[in-house]
Structures are given as C-alpha cells and as structure tokens.
Amino acid sequence: MECTLKELMVTAVAREIRDGEIVFVGMRLPLLAFALAKRTHAPTAVGFFENGVIRETPSPELLFTMGDTPNLYQATFCGDMLSVMGPLQQGRVALGIIGGAEVDRYGNINTTEVVDTKGRKIRLPGSGGACDIASLAGRLVIIMAHERRRFPPRVSYLTSPGYGDGRHWRKSVGLPGGGPVAVITDRAILRFDSVTEEAVLTSVHPGVSVEQVQEQTGWRLRLAENFHTTPLPTRDELKILREIDPTGFWLR
Amino acid sequence: MKVKVIPLSEAIGRYVSDGQSVVLGTGLEGFIPFAAGYEIIRQGKRNLCLIGPISDILFDLLIGAGCVTRVVAAWVGNVSAGLGYNFRRAVEESIPHPLEVENHSNFTIALGLHAGALGIPFVPARTALGTDLQRQNPHLREISCPYTGERLVAVRAITPDVAIVHVQRADREGNCHLWGNLGVTLDAVRASRTVIVTTEEIVSSDVILSDPNRTLIPGIFVTAIAVVPWGAHPSPVVGYYNRDHEFFHDYHEQTRTREQFLDWLKQWVLQPADHEAYLRKLGAHRLNRLRPKRTAPSVPVHFGY
C-alpha cells in the first residue's frame, strides 16, 4: 500500500507506545503518533501535555498545538505544568516523544542553535519541554528528518540529553531518566547499543539503501545485529492516520 | 475598594514601565494575552525583559517591534509553523537591536516561578543536568542534595515585575474564574509584584462566589482588570473561541524579511488604534468561524450546607 514518508514515520513512532503507558507527548508529529496509538494497539495509553493536560481519550479533532480546544474537550485533567512535570520527575512517565534540529551519535539533541555551512550561527526556538522529557522520561523516542547537517557526530549545543559521550554519562551527571531508545527518521530507524550507548542502524525504510543513510549521517554507522527493512503501516493504521489528518497538514 | 476595572490602554500605560520584566504567555499555546501585547507595542514600551515558557508568536512580535532587550524563556517561535524570524534577526544580527537570551526549559521556568511564588531563593530539580542549558545559564546552578548528596540543579527564583494573564471571566474585584490548561499561570501571578488581568467578560460576584474552586486567581493578587473580549486572539480560549491557525501561518509567511514584518506590524498592530479596531479588521465572519461549534457545559457542583 502506498504511503507518505511522514505516515511511515508516525506509524513507527506510534508502535513505540505500549498499551497502558503514560506518554509525554511533544508537539507536531508526536501528537499524531499518540492519536494513532490510542486508536490502535494502545487504547489505554495516557497522554501528558506540558501545558497541564492529561488525556485518556483521543482528541476528537486534529491538533495543531496541544493547547487547541479539542485537546481540552473531555480531557481527564486540566491543571498546571507542575502537575505533569512533577510526575515526570518522579519517574512515572514511561515514554517521551520529541523532535529535534540536530541529533548526534549518542542521541543528544540540539534545538537551541546550529552553525550553517558558512559558519554562521542560526538561532532556533529552544528547548520548550524537550530537555525535561529527555532528562526524565523512562524511554525517549526522537523523530527527525534525516539529513547530514542534522546528524553531526556531536551536537553543537546540547539542549536535551541523550547518552552524553557514552560511558554511563547519564548516571555520572545525575540524570534519572532512561535515555533515548530510537531515532525515527524519514529514511531509517536507529537504536542504541546497550554497551556503547551509540546509535546503530536498525532498519531502513523500503526503497532506501544503507549507503544512502550513511551518506546523510555524520559518523560511521554500525548495523544492528537484527538489521531489517522498516515495516510499512498496515491498511488500518493508514486509514486511521488519514482520518486524524484529513487534509494532510502534517503528513503530506 | 479601589476601582480595578480600567481600559486596557490605561492598564498598560500605568503598570508596564520601560525596563521592567514581564511574564506573558503563561497558559502556553492558549490564553496568550495578545491584545495586551499589541498595546505594549502601540505605547512604544522599551527595554522590557520578557519571561515565559513558550510564547507562540507574541514574543517574536514584541521583539520585532523593538520593545525587548532580554528574554528569559524556554522556546520562542511559532508553534504550528516553526521559527520566529524576529527572534532570529535579533539574536543573529541585532535587528532591531541586540537581544540577550537566558535559555531555560519549560520545567525550569515553571520551577523558577514556583520558587518566586513560595518566596524562596531556589528550588532543586533533576532536569537539564549535564546539558548546555544548565552549563550556560547562571540561574541553573548545580548543587548536591544536603540529605543524600545527589547532584541537582538549583533553579533560581523568578520574580517578574509584572504578570499579564488572560482569563474567561472575573468580577469587579478581580476574582478570576478560569478553566482549561493553566500552564504556569498561577505561579506567575503569585510570583509577580503587579498583575494585569485581561478578561473576556466581567460577571457579578455571585457568579464567582458560586464556585470558589474555579476562582484560581483571587482578586487580592490582582492590580488591574481590563475587559477585552477576544483578548487572546489568535490563540484559543476554551469555551469562547478556537485557535486561529491561519493567522499564525500567515504571520510565518509574511514576516520572513524585516520589511515584510514592518508591513505586518503596521497593518495588524499600529494602524488599528485599539483592540476594537483590530476586531473590526478581523471581521465578524472570521470571528464567527472561530466560535465553538460544540457546546460542552460542565455539570454544576453543590456548595450547599
């Protein structure tokens, strides 16, 4: 079945959500991934939104931001930011989903400033809640466009922590959360080696070669032992995604 | 009791001064006090320090209009469209003038305001350890726990001069009912010395007293109230209007260059003399489209005895 790359990405992200989990949902594509998971394999997953909303039912309409009124309609809870960040810091949130501008071989994310090809600094919007989600969630899934400039060996500014420089860095700096488990891009999925804590290539999307992914990655990628091709969305998943985003605002 | 209900222009004129720190956008993507922000621009306030978690386009606008020299924030841009061009121009090229940025995460902004609200110098947290956010922000200092020795971040208290918040309804004493997501609104109000409330409507005190759990901002903390229907447009206010997505996307398309932005500013902020003129420019048709289509009242609770 034909699908867009974004539909494939969002489906892959949704599949990282397990039923019954508390999920801290970032903006843009993560909003759709959570909505898809709720309607498919994870009906009892609970969404935390940093504006202070907790949802157990899917939002009745497409969301452009978490503050959109459909996200408040029949929410379980509307309160303040500390009411969701507190449980996140306590370790109650199983999974966080965020995007980024740059991600490096240890899953560190930069959304603060990057340097362009002419050496000029480009100012980006900043952390938002991403640093907190990356610091404190049990697992972290990162959703990114796969371009060489976005995949440097080391991020130029560490906004949201992955595994630092490896070697149990998280523990040494005092970070409680579990760290990233997957980087899901428009070409491939990278996961993290449990010993070296380095991102390894786990799957490429249909029609994409390992060489193409390597070309767009700023460090030498190792292949995972169980390397494979990313499974396509099922017919059901696609149907639901297209119901969630009928005009293709996010997915086309 | 002193009269708190005053026109928006007077509230901004009297209670926001050049050089002050102002916390705004405390509800995150909703309840953003845009009308108050436009009025700050019209009155040509200068050298402000803006404080907020995310701001959608209001911070970008105020920066482009030349009102701001410092930002204490977690995120500055356009949530559904991407980068804020004025923010970038200010940081990268000092246009219209240099901008100092203190980088936070949403949680550290929330905790800083919480410390301010509690009247203490800092609160400890486990976020941002090992990041450049923590290394480069002098107000996120690493400490060890006096009880366990664990590494923690001491988030310094944030005590803004002024908080500006938008609510659904208030009485003449400034007791505010609000509902929906609250973001950092309550701590921002408690941490600030001066509080300006813009409200969709003024209701009688009986309405407020019928549901004290809904009175999330007691009037004793409020300095001034301005009645500003649609005062958060283009951001949403649950029960009153939805987000004007198109407005945010048009802003993104129409502010790529400095010249484009200045045109936009003239058209939407400087030429409409006040909020009423802004609403006339938006037009009844556009506003009607944003009204809720689904009515969803809550079930009343009893406070009988």
Side-chain angles (χ1 to χ4, degrees), chain B residues 9-88:
Chain B
S9 57
E10 197 182 326
I12 299 300
R14 208 192 285 179
Y15 296 112
V16 179
S17 305
D18 290 357
Q20 283 189 323
S21 59
V22 185
V23 59
L24 287 162
T26 59
L28 282 77
E29 292 90 344
F31 307 92
I32 302 174
F34 272 96
Y38 296 158
E39 190 56 32
I40 287 173
I41 295 173
R42 286 187 198 113
Q43 295 191 16
K45 302 289 181 184
R46 286 293 177 268
N47 299 318
L48 299 179
C49 168
L50 301 185
I51 301 169
I54 71 114
S55 70
D56 234 335
I57 60 176
L58 183 55
F59 280 23
D60 192 67
L61 257 166
L62 287 158
I63 292 164
C67 307
V68 189
T69 47
R70 186 174 157 79
V71 161
V72 176
W75 200 95
V76 181
N78 186 331
V79 174
S80 58
L83 296 164
Y85 295 109
N86 287 313
F87 178 54
R88 277 194 57 187

Side-chain angles (χ1 to χ4, degrees), chain B residues 21-194:
Chain B
S21 59
V22 185
V23 59
L24 287 162
T26 59
L28 282 77
E29 292 90 344
F31 307 92
I32 302 174
F34 272 96
Y38 296 158
E39 190 56 32
I40 287 173
I41 295 173
R42 286 187 198 113
Q43 295 191 16
K45 302 289 181 184
R46 286 293 177 268
N47 299 318
L48 299 179
C49 168
L50 301 185
I51 301 169
I54 71 114
S55 70
D56 234 335
I57 60 176
L58 183 55
F59 280 23
D60 192 67
L61 257 166
L62 287 158
I63 292 164
C67 307
V68 189
T69 47
R70 186 174 157 79
V71 161
V72 176
W75 200 95
V76 181
N78 186 331
V79 174
S80 58
L83 296 164
Y85 295 109
N86 287 313
F87 178 54
R88 277 194 57 187
R89 279 190 283 268
V91 175
E92 296 168 15
E93 304 166 67
S94 299
I95 297 170
H97 40 63
L99 181 70
E100 196 186 325
V101 183
E102 184 175 309
N103 288 305
H104 278 264
S105 72
N106 277 343
F107 194 21
T108 63
I109 287 279
L111 289 172
L113 291 168
H114 192 57
L118 292 176
I120 51 176
F122 70 90
V123 287
R126 296 181 192 279
T127 190
L129 286 159
T131 65
D132 286 329
L133 278 181
Q134 192 257 307
R135 269 197 291 272
Q136 296 185 5
N137 183 340
H139 297 155
L140 303 176
R141 200 175 290 179
E142 195 181 308
I143 55 166
S144 53
C145 171
Y147 303 107
T148 63
E150 289 169 285
R151 301 174 87 152
L152 297 167
V153 173
V155 181
R156 190 170 190 176
I158 300 172
T159 51
D161 294 315
V162 185
I164 306 180
V165 299
H166 188 77
V167 306
Q168 281 108 333
R169 64 190 186 206
D171 67 13
R172 305 191 69 80
E173 278 72 50
N175 298 301
C176 303
H177 273 189
L178 62 155
W179 57 95
N181 60 282
L182 304 172
V184 299
T185 302
L186 305 189
D187 279 330
V189 163
R190 294 167 186 148
S192 301
R193 279 180 279 278
T194 297

